[in-house]
Each structure stands twice: as structure tokens, then as C-alpha cells.
Amino acid sequence: MNNIHLATMAIMAANVLASFKGFKDQSFFERYKFGVGAIQAGQKDRMITSGFLHVDLSHLFFNMFTLYFFADVVIGWLGPAKFGIIYFISLVAGSILALFFHKKEPFYSAVGASGAVTGILYAAILLQPDMRLGIMFIPIPLPAYVLGILYLFYSIYGMKSRLGNIGHTAHFGGAIGGYLTTLLFKPELLLTDTWMVLLLAIPIIILFVLGKLGKI
């Protein structure tokens, strides 16, 4: 693993500073978390600020740990500026999708960088699908694209069943943001990796079909 890039360090620092402020100051946390009712009332800034707050240290660590491992792939392919853009767009996309699916739930709230980090993860998989990733309970590393697709199917299931206290909708929105922005920056992938682009789009298409049918 190379030394951590300055762009990654800057994003991590912003998450750490905001999260620790939220740990110590409940009023700060409540003001800047994602809240459907507050956003609909005009506090649109929550759609961004909530992505830098975390519930506790383990939540913060997991997101930053994941970011650390996949940020270098995206920076290596696209550079730090485009990496930052993908991160920001994925964050916003996660909030937009969460707002869309929970618009009738004014008390729905969430925090965390998971949407943005999932966008970086999905971008890294799209750029380097031959990566092999290992996860707990599976001793043999699997191709990154397999895990990416399975993760989004799990997110669809989590959205449908309201599984756990997890922002599955933001994760999925972040993945969509990372996927589309990466293709915007590297449209040649549509020609050089057509089948991979199509494979990674399958869970995204299924989500919107289910949403249109009112199944989620």
C-alpha cells in the first residue's frame, strides 16, 4: 500500500473533526444530521453535512478504513481532483436517494460517510474490476465486481425489509453516483469494458424497476 494521498487525508480529517465535534456536542449533531423533515423545511445543507458525522468511533473507523483501501485506486486512475468530485457527488447522490425513498417519513434521520465511501468503492470496482477482495467468513478472495453486485443486492433487500439500523438507501445512492461519475470521466469504459459496465448496472436498474412498481 502506498503512502496515503493528501486528498484522502483531507477527507478523512474533515470526517474526524466533524464527527468528534458531534460526539461532544449533541446540539451540533442534531442540527447537521440528515433529517427528512428538516430538509423539507429548508435546511438543505444537512444533505452534505450529515455525510461527515458519525454515530460513534466504530462507525467512523469502518468508513475511513474502507475509504483508505479504495481511494488510491480511484486516485491512481483519475487523479485527486476527480476523486474528490466522485466522493462529493456520491455523498449528495446518497442523500438525494434517501430523501426520495423516505420523503413521507419526516422523522427519518441518518448520518455517516457510507454513501460517499460506497461511491468510491463502486468507482474503484468499475475502474479495476479484476481486483480480488476478501471478506469475513469467505476464505477465498472474490472478484471485486462480484462483491460489488452482491452488496447492492443486499442493499436492495435491506431497503425493502428495513434491515437493521443502516442507511441502505444512502449506500445505494452513493454507488449510483460513483458509477455514473466514473463513466462520465472515463466514457471509454463503455467500449473497453462493456460487459462489466452492464453487469454493474444490473442492480441499479432492478432498484428503479422495483421502485416504479412500488415494491420498495
Side-chain angles (χ1 to χ4, degrees), residues 190-204:
L190 292 165
L191 297 177
T192 59
D193 290 283
T194 305
W195 284 110
M196 187 56 58
V197 171
L198 293 174
L199 273 176
L200 292 173
I202 289 173
I204 296 173

Side-chain angles (χ1 to χ4, degrees), residues 70-180:
F70 294 100
D72 277 356
V73 175
V74 180
I75 292 171
W77 279 85
L78 301 175
K82 290 179 178 177
F83 159 76
I85 292 170
I86 291 174
Y87 186 93
F88 180 78
I89 288 178
S90 297
L91 190 164
V92 174
S95 292
I96 290 173
L97 197 68
L99 186 63
F100 175 78
F101 274 99
H102 299 285
K103 58 182 177 291
K104 296 181 180 179
E105 303 169 49
F107 297 106
Y108 178 87
S109 64
V111 293
S114 301
V117 172
T118 305
I120 293 299
L121 168 64
Y122 221 61
I125 292 172
L126 185 58
L127 291 165
Q128 200 167 306
D130 58 343
M131 287 189 299
R132 300 188 74 83
L133 304 177
I135 59 175
M136 290 186 297
F137 311 121
I138 300 180
I140 302 173
L142 297 173
Y145 70 89
V146 172
L147 289 180
I149 292 170
L150 290 176
Y151 181 72
L152 288 196
F153 278 125
Y154 169 74
S155 293
I156 291 175
Y157 172 72
M159 291 165 64
K160 186 175 178 60
S161 63
R162 301 300 179 95
L163 183 66
N165 188 26
I166 300 172
H168 296 286
T169 315
H171 295 180
F172 208 108
I176 294 172
Y179 175 84
L180 293 178

Side-chain angles (χ1 to χ4, degrees), residues 11-24:
I11 289 174
M12 286 183 170
N15 275 276
V16 169
L17 290 172
S19 294
F20 271 83
K21 173 67 174 174
F23 295 159
K24 296 178 181 179

